[in-house]
Amino acid sequence: QFLKRSNEALKHYDQAIELFRATGDRLGEANTLQAIGDVLQFLKRSNEALKHYDQAIELFRATGDRLGEANTLLMLGQLTRKTGDTQRALSYARQTIEMYKTIGSILGEANGYRLTGETHFYGGEYAPAIQSFQLALPLYERIGDRYSQAATWQTLADAETRLGNSWQARTAFERAKDLFQEAGLDEQAQRCERALKNLNQKVVVAPPKAPAIGAEKPKDPDWLQKSMPTAKPARSSGSRSGIPFWGWFLVGLGFVLLLWYLL
């Protein structure tokens, strides 16, 4: 059903382009080309989407529409990231950030940093991804875009998890969950909750292992050895019972005298 509607939308866009060209509305044509590129990208028809984006950029530049050009470059960055062309995606992201700063678009600038972070993240570069996300978050917060904040926190948490930063990951997942809940996106909030549970399960303290048979008994730690009283060695007296040797001599002599008296 969705594919059918997407194809119908593409037909209407094609009709719109013919009308814009007939009336000489180059800006309308550029916006329509970008919209077609967005639909084609969603349908994973990457090569066709790329052609439409390139045509749109040419028209935006010809008409001096810097915002339209920046938006199309952003979509090009997303397309090239998905196709695995990391360097081109980062190049498009840098261009969009500078253009959005010049225009004064806070949302666009935040989206550019987020694109940079996602490109690094999916390329396995987690530390620079986190840095880019941290630049995007305060911009989203300034304009009150809760959904973009939540989605950025969630990906940031994934990056922290891959770096082994459990505490930072837990904090980021909790922040994302709260924002998703505030936005009424319960399904996304539940995903963060599951991620938190999985993160907690990974923190397992290994139980101490029993010594193997015949292995040397482990020594007590220094602090325990110092706290234990030291046993004094017994004196050597020639007897295992602790009675001196001359004591046994007297006992034996008394026994002999007793027998002589009785006899």
Side-chain angles (χ1 to χ4, degrees):
Q1 184 69 22
F2 179 80
L3 179 61
K4 180 180 179 181
R5 291 183 178 180
S6 298
N7 290 328
E8 290 177 356
L10 290 174
K11 291 180 181 179
H12 291 304
Y13 281 137
D14 287 337
Q15 294 173 2
I17 284 179
E18 292 179 2
L19 292 174
F20 285 130
R21 286 174 179 171
T23 58
D25 189 344
R26 304 182 74 186
L27 185 57
E29 181 182 352
N31 284 317
T32 307
L33 285 168
Q34 181 195 348
I36 293 175
D38 293 344
V39 175
L40 292 171
Q41 180 178 174
F42 191 81
L43 294 175
K44 297 182 180 181
R45 294 160 62 178
S46 301
N47 292 332
E48 296 177 67
L50 182 61
K51 292 178 181 179
H52 283 79
Y53 285 143
D54 286 338
Q55 294 174 19
I57 287 176
E58 291 181 4
L59 289 173
F60 281 128
R61 288 174 178 170
T63 57
D65 189 339
R66 299 277 287 171
L67 180 59
E69 181 182 353
N71 290 337
T72 308
L73 285 170
L74 183 69
M75 299 307 296
L76 268 173
Q78 294 179 357
L79 175 62
T80 51
R81 178 191 68 75
K82 293 175 182 177
T83 57
D85 195 342
T86 301
Q87 295 305 316
R88 285 187 68 185
L90 291 174
S91 176
Y92 286 133
R94 284 192 293 269
Q95 293 179 58
T96 58
I97 290 171
E98 293 302 320
M99 292 181 68
Y100 284 129
K101 284 183 178 179
T102 303
I103 298 168
S105 173
I106 298 174
L107 176 59
E109 184 182 351
N111 288 335
Y113 284 125
R114 182 179 171 188
L115 171 60
T116 304
E118 289 176 344
T119 304
H120 283 302
F121 176 81
Y122 291 107
E125 300 174 341
Y126 303 121
I130 292 171
Q131 294 176 355
S132 297
F133 292 142
Q134 289 172 341
L135 292 172
L137 283 168
L139 297 175
Y140 285 132
E141 185 176 2
R142 193 195 305 183
I143 60 177
D145 188 342
R146 292 184 178 180
Y147 174 78
S148 296
Q149 284 184 72
T152 305
W153 274 115
Q154 185 177 16
T155 314
L156 189 152
D158 290 332
E160 294 284 12
T161 301
R162 283 161 174 76
L163 288 177
N165 300 328
S166 299
W167 184 86
Q168 292 89 334
R170 184 177 293 106
T171 302
F173 275 128
E174 289 175 349
R175 185 67 179 132
K177 183 186 72 172
D178 292 342
L179 286 166
F180 278 132
Q181 288 176 339
E182 291 176 8
L185 301 171
D186 295 333
E187 183 177 351
Q188 288 87 337
Q190 290 174 3
R191 291 177 184 173
C192 293
E193 183 64 30
R194 288 194 295 270
L196 283 167
K197 290 181 180 178
N198 293 334
L199 192 63
N200 291 332
Q201 291 175 357
K202 292 180 181 179
V203 183
V204 179
V205 179
K209 295 182 179 180
I213 298 176
E216 183 181 355
K217 182 180 179 181
K219 297 181 180 179
D220 294 323
D222 294 338
W223 64 268
L224 183 57
Q225 291 178 357
K226 292 178 181 179
S227 64
M228 295 176 64
T230 304
K232 296 182 180 180
R235 296 179 182 178
S236 176
S237 60
S239 171
R240 280 182 274 180
S241 62
I243 301 175
F245 178 78
W246 54 267
W248 285 110
F249 174 78
L250 292 176
V251 171
L253 180 60
F255 182 72
V256 172
L257 292 174
L258 178 62
L259 288 176
W260 178 78
Y261 175 78
L262 293 173
L263 295 173

